Amino acid sequence: MCYQCRLCSDVFFDFTGTDNGEALPESIPSAPGTLPHFIEEPDDAYIIKSNPIALRCKARPAMQIFFKCNGEWVHQNEHVSEETLDESSGLKVREVFINVTRQQVEDFHGPEDYWCQCVAWSHLGTSKSRKASVRIAYLRKNFEQDPQGREVPIEGMIVLHCRPPEGVPAAEVEWLKNEEPIDSEQDENIDTRADHNLIIRQARLSDSGNYTCMAANIVAKRRSLSATVVVYVNGGWSSWTEWSACNVRCGRGWQKRSRTCTNPAPLNGGAFCEGMSVQKITCTSLCPVDGSWEVWSEWSVCSPECEHLRIRECTAPPPRNGGKFCEGLSQESENCTDGLCILDKKPLHEIKPQRWSRRGIENASDIALYSGLGAAVVAVAVLVIGVTLYRRSQSDYGVDVIDSSALTGGFQTFNFKTVRQGNSLLLNSAMQPDLTVSRTYSGPICLQDPLDKELMTESSLFNPLSDIKVKVQSSFMVSLGVSERAEYHGKNHSRTFPHGNNHSFSTMHPRNKMPYIQNLSSLPTRTELRTTGVFGHLGGRLVMPNTGVSLLIPHGAIPEENSWEIYMSINQGEPSLQSDGSEVLLSPEVTCGPPDMIVTTPFALTIPHCADVSSEHWNIHLKKRTQQGKWEEVMSVEDESTSCYCLLDPFACHVLLDSFGTYALTGEPITDCAVKQLKVAVFGCMSCNSLDYNLRVYCVDNTPCAFQEVVSDESHQGGQLLEEPKLLHFKGNTFSLQISVLDIPPFLWRIKPFTACQEVPFSRVWCSNRQPLHCAFSLERYTPTTTQLSCKICIRQLKGHEQILQVQTSILESERETITFFAQEDSTFPAQTGPKAFKIPYSIRQRICATFDTPNAKGKDWQMLAQKNSINRNLSYFATQSSPSAVILNLWEARHQHDGDLDSLACALEEIGRTHMKLSNISESQLDEADFNYSRQNGL
């Protein structure tokens, strides 16, 4: 058959055979007349450099086999065919192969790779083989990511990243250590299976070395840059030696003990042990002291033996510390009659006188005894008379307290009688109080106004009456009175009372106001907290201790050779921002200045807030007070603005601003699910009545500055924090707050009936930022021997959140455990200037800004830097800045003042790909070192 006929026949089979995508049979009968069955099909192949590749196929029975490449027949002249006979079946076996050149593959421009397929036919039809793809093999020179050197502590984890060059076929990766292959199957501590990375689970000293990533395929091999891994060991102290002997035998000296930094010794640049290697203490070796005699005593009377004695003692000084005893006799005797003795050796002239002398001595002793007894009786009588007169004189002072609960400030009824005239202990005895009417008051007491705080005396009396008159007469008596009618109208102060209590009050009489002011003049009055610092071109950070308020002045914000005294204050008086409608003040009013100061780079102001921002139920605004005293809205936190930027965190808001002034955050609840975070705390102190104990429960906004005001007030009143403050989520659903005392120990303590629970209206709590809200309870002991108090304080919102404060305390100050009010993390350095105020060193900051401020084709610019630092909103603000990356880093500095380190920034840079961005010279160890230096410089 001619070639043209074979082609026609092939075309015929191509359209009438199995060329329509039907599956070929898996097994072919061995009998003659079956379809061709492929014994060998062409395999995928790669062209290396310019060498052609051969594709083969073999089939039986086959009259003819031709290749089809990319849908076109390969010319017959390009085929090389061999025909054999299968002896077992007697069928013809035909084998054909062709060559494919690099030029053919490069000239092909199709939607898929270059491919070829065998077509074999017999008398019954055609069969097709699998498609074999032909690709040009290559391997790029440069690694997509080279491994980076690491310094890790012993037993730390080592991860070396390697991304091989692009290649066809994909390159296989092999790791070398000091030019020797690493076999991970023989070392279970090493894993090289995770995406070509080398992982050493626990670093050993033997793991130090130079590591190289090898990539290879059928074309070539490539070597990465070597990464030096250093496994270091930080030094550890050995145990102390025993104390040495004192260096002197006698007197004051010293003894020492030592330890060595060998457990373990520092290796490969590990840190040396911190602390002293030698300790010294003073010692005193007692010197031996020889004894010395005292002077001789007087001679004794003559004895019946006509002798008298005298003695001396070895006590001047006595022998000590092994010293010698005195030498010589301790007793001497001699004849006392010059040898004149009677028969029994008694001198005749001394017999009677001696007898009378002894009797006289006995009589003298009796007289002294009786005289002493008489003097004691007289002294006791005088003392009794003096105490009686003193008590009678004291009965003319003070007031008669009918009910001792008047001094407790709890839910108790109290009456007061008029003061006796002529009391010299009044502050102004010439000004007599007008107490012509005796009144009785009862009901729960909750305080919110600052005037209420000033009315607290040493008796801790929390009285809600605006017309009360107080005169302190002694440390234990308080005289209280209510004027009958109003003659002076002052400013009305808001009060907080439970529902259903109606009170009718009149105001203070003007002539009785002066003694009241004198009495409370010792209580401190504060209108603001304030701190200052002098800053220059290097910038710095100004912190208000224990308030959560801080100010970050960036590097370069102030022109060179200029310096400004910058101040920051918090308003603690009546807020000047008056809420409109449902709007609530969520933060303190913070002022920073001077207002005429101009900065070239936005500064960062951090203001704490009490809103629960976990859900979208608030519309929060930033407001600024104008020079006329009015407040105007700067922006909504969720709005897009190019004038300023607000980043809202769960407990604080970080604001980027261009001008100084007074700022505050307000919130408008969108739904009833809007939540304010309140901090609840309980304080306690003894009452002037020794059997009473006062509990004061506070509910304040969850901002550090609000709680600091409470702590300051309590410290002046002698209050003690009894339990760690807790967080209460107060919903804007108009339901009130209940505060109750539970589980009071029976037979030890008591509280008057119907006074153990107080209810505070919703509006008082929701707007509690005006002044701290608190309620007072009074408990009374049955006996003075009761010194322990345990009970529970339940604070709950109706149909809302509930918190329990467990009180377990001793009412004795000496046995009471002190609870710390604030952590001291930001109170050591209120003003930090220069590089030590920033966590990111200036050199690293410059490299980051130089890299990310430049637009990048892959999008790895300042926008990705912002995104990796959780800044996803209002990016148009940063676009208007001369260095967006610098402003983003300033915001990062303000945000991570206490709650983070440089790890988060390092992770962000790692995710972006700092090697690709030419930031490989900013190693993780450099960031760690910078974080360590910042902590050390600031005492963290």
Side-chain angles (χ1 to χ4, degrees):
M1 182 183 297
C2 65
Y3 175 72
Q4 290 80 4
C5 295
R6 284 199 301 271
L7 284 179
C8 293
S9 175
D10 177 71
V11 172
F12 173 77
F13 283 123
D14 189 36
F15 286 93
T16 60
T18 59
D19 195 30
N20 296 327
E22 299 178 358
L24 298 177
E26 295 183 357
S27 60
I28 305 297
S30 60
T34 62
L35 289 173
H37 170 67
F38 284 97
I39 302 174
E40 180 182 352
E41 296 184 86
D43 295 325
D44 294 337
Y46 297 94
I47 296 178
I48 302 174
K49 297 182 179 179
S50 298
N51 301 322
I53 54 99
L55 298 179
R56 298 176 179 274
C57 64
K58 184 188 296 186
R60 70 177 180 188
M63 298 174 56
Q64 203 58 262
I65 299 176
F66 286 97
F67 274 91
K68 211 179 204 182
C69 293
N70 303 319
E72 297 181 359
W73 292 104
V74 178
H75 197 275
Q76 182 182 14
N77 295 339
E78 298 179 9
H79 291 74
V80 177
S81 177
E82 295 181 358
E83 183 177 314
T84 59
L85 182 66
D86 189 356
E87 297 179 355
S88 60
S89 61
L91 299 177
K92 290 184 179 181
V93 177
R94 184 173 294 275
E95 180 180 6
V96 176
F97 69 91
I98 63 172
N99 291 328
V100 178
T101 64
R102 182 187 184 97
Q103 187 65 37
Q104 289 176 306
V105 176
E106 289 178 346
D107 292 342
F108 174 70
H109 302 286
E112 53 186 353
D113 293 334
Y114 189 97
W115 59 270
C116 293
Q117 183 183 38
C118 285
V119 179
W121 66 86
S122 66
H123 293 290
L124 294 183
T126 63
S127 296
K128 292 183 179 180
S129 69
R130 63 178 294 276
K131 290 182 178 180
S133 62
V134 180
R135 304 175 65 186
I136 299 175
Y138 67 93
L139 183 63
R140 305 280 186 203
K141 291 184 178 180
N142 297 325
F143 279 73
E144 294 186 1
Q145 182 179 5
D146 288 301
Q148 300 295 314
R150 297 286 304 275
E151 292 183 0
V152 295
I154 193 168
E155 295 186 356
M157 177 179 286
I158 303 174
V159 179
L160 298 180
H161 299 280
C162 175
R163 286 206 292 267
E166 181 184 352
V168 175
E172 297 291 334
V173 171
E174 179 185 19
W175 284 91
L176 303 179
K177 175 190 173 185
N178 298 332
E179 304 302 326
E180 295 293 333
I182 297 176
D183 189 356
S184 59
E185 295 181 357
Q186 295 182 0
D187 191 346
E188 296 180 353
N189 194 40
I190 297 178
D191 185 6
T192 58
R193 297 170 297 177
D195 195 21
H196 307 305
N197 299 327
L198 174 65
I199 300 175
I200 302 177
R201 297 181 180 88
Q202 289 186 329
R204 302 155 297 192
L205 289 176
S206 59
D207 293 325
S208 297
N210 296 321
Y211 288 81
T212 308
C213 182
M214 292 286 297
N217 63 3
I218 59 177
V219 179
K221 290 184 177 181
R222 301 284 186 256
R223 289 172 58 97
S224 70
L225 298 177
S226 294
T228 301
V229 173
V230 177
V231 180
Y232 62 86
V233 178
N234 291 325
W237 288 114
S238 64
S239 300
W240 287 101
T241 61
E242 296 294 331
W243 288 104
S244 65
C246 200
N247 68 324
V248 294
R249 294 183 56 191
C250 174
R252 185 179 180 85
W254 52 265
Q255 57 186 149
K256 66 178 181 179
R257 64 176 183 176
S258 61
R259 57 181 178 176
T260 58
C261 189
T262 57
N263 187 30
L267 292 174
N268 298 335
F272 195 79
C273 304
E274 295 183 358
M276 298 184 299
S277 61
V278 177
Q279 280 186 344
K280 288 186 178 181
I281 59 174
T282 58
C283 58
T284 302
S285 298
L286 300 178
C287 298
V289 178
D290 295 335
S292 180
W293 292 112
E294 289 278 3
V295 297
W296 287 102
S297 66
E298 296 294 332
W299 289 103
S300 67
V301 296
C302 262
S303 68
E305 289 79 13
C306 298
E307 292 181 347
H308 59 180
L309 305 175
R310 68 174 181 176
I311 63 174
R312 60 178 178 176
E313 296 180 350
C314 188
T315 58
R320 296 193 302 269
N321 309 324
K324 296 179 180 180
F325 198 79
C326 302
E327 296 181 357
L329 298 176
S330 63
Q331 179 178 318
E332 282 184 352
S333 65
E334 64 180 18
N335 191 285
C336 56
T337 61
D338 294 330
L340 299 177
C341 273
I342 59 176
L343 183 62
D344 56 359
K345 297 185 180 180
K346 294 182 179 179
L348 295 176
H349 64 278
E350 292 185 4
I351 294 176
K352 291 183 179 180
Q354 183 177 356
R355 186 181 301 167
W356 284 106
S357 175
R358 291 179 181 176
R359 186 175 299 173
I361 291 174
E362 292 177 357
N363 293 336
S365 300
D366 293 341
I367 293 173
L369 174 63
Y370 293 140
S371 299
L373 291 176
V377 171
V378 173
V380 171
V382 172
L383 179 62
V384 171
I385 294 173
V387 171
T388 303
L389 294 177
Y390 176 77
R391 289 183 177 178
R392 288 183 179 179
S393 64
Q394 292 299 318
S395 63
D396 293 334
Y397 299 148
V399 298
D400 295 333
V401 181
I402 296 178
D403 191 346
S404 63
S405 64
L407 302 178
T408 62
F411 293 88
Q412 304 186 17
T413 302
F414 48 89
N415 301 332
F416 294 94
K417 293 182 180 179
T418 59
V419 181
R420 294 185 179 91
Q421 301 296 324
N423 190 343
S424 61
L425 295 181
L426 289 174
L427 293 177
N428 189 350
S429 60
M431 186 177 294
Q432 300 297 332
D434 184 11
L435 302 179
T436 58
V437 178
S438 176
R439 296 189 179 182
T440 301
Y441 294 90
S442 64
I445 300 175
C446 290
L447 305 175
Q448 187 176 12
D449 196 272
L451 182 60
D452 299 330
K453 299 176 185 176
E454 297 176 356
L455 290 176
M456 301 175 188
T457 65
E458 295 182 27
S459 62
S460 301
L461 177 61
F462 295 83
N463 198 324
L465 307 180
S466 61
D467 55 355
I468 194 168
K469 294 179 290 185
V470 181
K471 291 188 178 181
V472 176
Q473 301 175 10
S474 69
S475 61
F476 300 102
M477 293 296 180
V478 177
S479 173
L480 294 138
V482 182
S483 59
E484 182 64 18
R485 57 193 177 87
E487 298 183 15
Y488 174 79
H489 300 278
K491 181 180 179 181
N492 294 328
H493 298 274
S494 60
R495 311 292 179 197
T496 302
F497 299 100
H499 296 302
N501 288 345
N502 297 323
H503 301 270
S504 177
F505 306 127
S506 57
T507 57
M508 183 183 299
H509 197 282
R511 66 186 180 91
N512 291 328
K513 188 173 183 181
M514 183 59 65
Y516 157 71
I517 296 175
Q518 293 175 357
N519 177 39
L520 300 179
S521 62
S522 61
L523 292 179
T525 57
R526 303 180 313 276
T527 59
E528 68 176 19
L529 290 174
R530 185 183 180 92
T531 185
T532 61
V534 178
F535 298 90
H537 181 70
L538 298 180
R541 192 191 305 267
L542 190 62
V543 178
M544 189 78 71
N546 296 327
T547 62
V549 178
S550 64
L551 181 68
L552 183 75
I553 307 297
H555 183 283
I558 301 176
E560 293 187 21
E561 300 180 357
N562 287 352
S563 62
W564 286 83
E565 182 179 8
I566 298 177
Y567 64 86
M568 185 168 59
S569 63
I570 301 176
N571 178 23
Q572 287 195 307
E574 186 71 17
S576 61
L577 176 57
Q578 302 298 325
S579 302
D580 297 331
S582 61
E583 196 174 44
V584 180
L585 184 62
L586 298 177
S587 75
E589 297 176 0
V590 180
T591 302
C592 53
D596 56 344
M597 176 180 171
I598 299 177
V599 293
T600 59
T601 303
F603 61 89
L605 178 64
T606 298
I607 306 176
H609 66 82
C610 61
D612 186 355
V613 295
S614 58
S615 55
E616 297 180 356
H617 302 296
W618 285 99
N619 188 9
I620 299 178
H621 306 273
L622 176 67
K623 291 194 173 184
K624 181 181 181 181
R625 188 172 62 190
T626 62
Q627 295 181 354
Q628 292 75 25
K630 296 183 179 180
W631 287 84
E632 61 182 15
E633 180 176 334
V634 178
M635 67 173 295
S636 174
V637 173
E638 298 299 327
D639 288 348
E640 297 285 332
S641 174
T642 57
S643 60
C644 66
Y645 185 89
C646 289
L647 180 61
L648 196 64
D649 278 345
F651 298 103
C653 182
H654 311 282
V655 189
L656 295 176
L657 299 165
D658 294 323
S659 60
F660 291 94
T662 302
Y663 297 90
L665 291 175
T666 63
E668 183 179 359
I670 301 175
T671 67
D672 290 345
C673 296
V675 171
K676 275 186 64 177
Q677 295 178 345
L678 302 180
K679 182 172 289 186
V680 294
V682 57
F683 289 80
C685 70
M686 290 291 295
S687 172
C688 65
N689 184 349
S690 60
L691 294 179
D692 290 351
Y693 191 77
N694 293 331
L695 295 177
R696 293 187 287 275
V697 182
Y698 288 84
C699 298
V700 298
D701 291 347
N702 184 33
T703 57
C705 50
F707 188 62
Q708 186 189 36
E709 182 179 357
V710 172
V711 171
S712 178
D713 291 341
E714 283 293 331
S715 64
H716 288 92
Q717 301 170 34
Q720 178 75 24
L721 183 64
L722 303 182
E723 171 68 349
E724 288 288 347
K726 294 186 178 180
L727 205 61
L728 180 72
H729 299 281
F730 192 79
K731 290 185 178 180
N733 53 11
T734 70
F735 287 98
S736 59
L737 185 72
Q738 282 187 351
I739 305 175
S740 55
V741 182
L742 307 174
D743 298 344
I744 300 175
F747 310 114
L748 296 177
W749 294 85
R750 65 183 174 187
I751 187 170
K752 288 196 174 183
F754 312 110
T755 63
C757 181
Q758 303 184 32
E759 185 170 339
V760 186
F762 169 81
S763 59
R764 297 295 187 187
V765 183
W766 193 247
C767 300
S768 63
N769 50 44
R770 298 294 177 186
Q771 292 297 334
L773 172 69
H774 77 276
C775 295
F777 299 87
S778 179
L779 281 70
E780 183 178 3
R781 295 181 288 172
Y782 282 94
T783 63
T785 58
T786 302
T787 60
Q788 298 293 324
L789 172 61
S790 64
C791 62
K792 293 180 180 179
I793 308 293
C794 178
I795 305 102
R796 73 183 188 96
Q797 184 185 19
L798 299 180
K799 298 186 179 181
H801 191 212
E802 176 182 4
Q803 280 289 9
I804 299 293
L805 297 177
Q806 181 69 51
V807 176
Q808 185 76 37
T809 186
S810 171
I811 64 174
L812 300 179
E813 186 174 357
S814 60
E815 300 178 2
R816 190 180 303 147
E817 181 181 358
T818 302
I819 301 176
T820 304
F821 296 141
F822 298 104
Q824 299 300 322
E825 59 183 5
D826 60 356
S827 60
T828 306
F829 303 102
Q832 301 167 324
T833 59
K836 67 180 181 180
F838 303 95
K839 285 196 170 186
I840 308 174
Y842 184 64
S843 58
I844 295 180
R845 173 190 292 263
Q846 283 183 314
R847 297 179 216 167
I848 296 176
C849 294
T851 300
F852 290 104
D853 284 343
T854 304
N856 186 276
K858 295 185 178 181
K860 295 183 178 181
D861 52 12
W862 63 264
Q863 298 188 38
M864 182 170 288
L865 180 65
Q867 180 183 0
K868 294 301 180 182
N869 284 281
S870 303
I871 302 174
N872 303 314
R873 184 189 52 79
N874 195 14
L875 296 182
S876 58
Y877 171 81
F878 299 98
T880 61
Q881 304 298 321
S882 59
S883 177
S885 300
V887 179
I888 293 172
L889 295 180
N890 293 336
L891 191 58
W892 184 94
E893 289 273 6
R895 192 178 191 183
H896 295 275
Q897 178 180 356
H898 297 305
D899 60 349
D901 50 29
L902 290 174
D903 287 345
S904 59
L905 181 62
C907 292
L909 295 175
E910 182 70 27
E911 291 181 14
I912 296 174
R914 57 186 182 186
T915 301
H916 178 77
M917 299 302 296
K918 298 181 181 178
L919 284 172
S920 57
N921 53 344
I922 305 178
S923 64
E924 185 175 352
S925 61
Q926 286 178 303
L927 295 176
D928 291 341
E929 181 182 0
D931 183 62
F932 172 77
N933 291 334
Y934 176 85
S935 302
R936 182 178 61 183
Q937 291 171 357
N938 294 279
L940 302 180

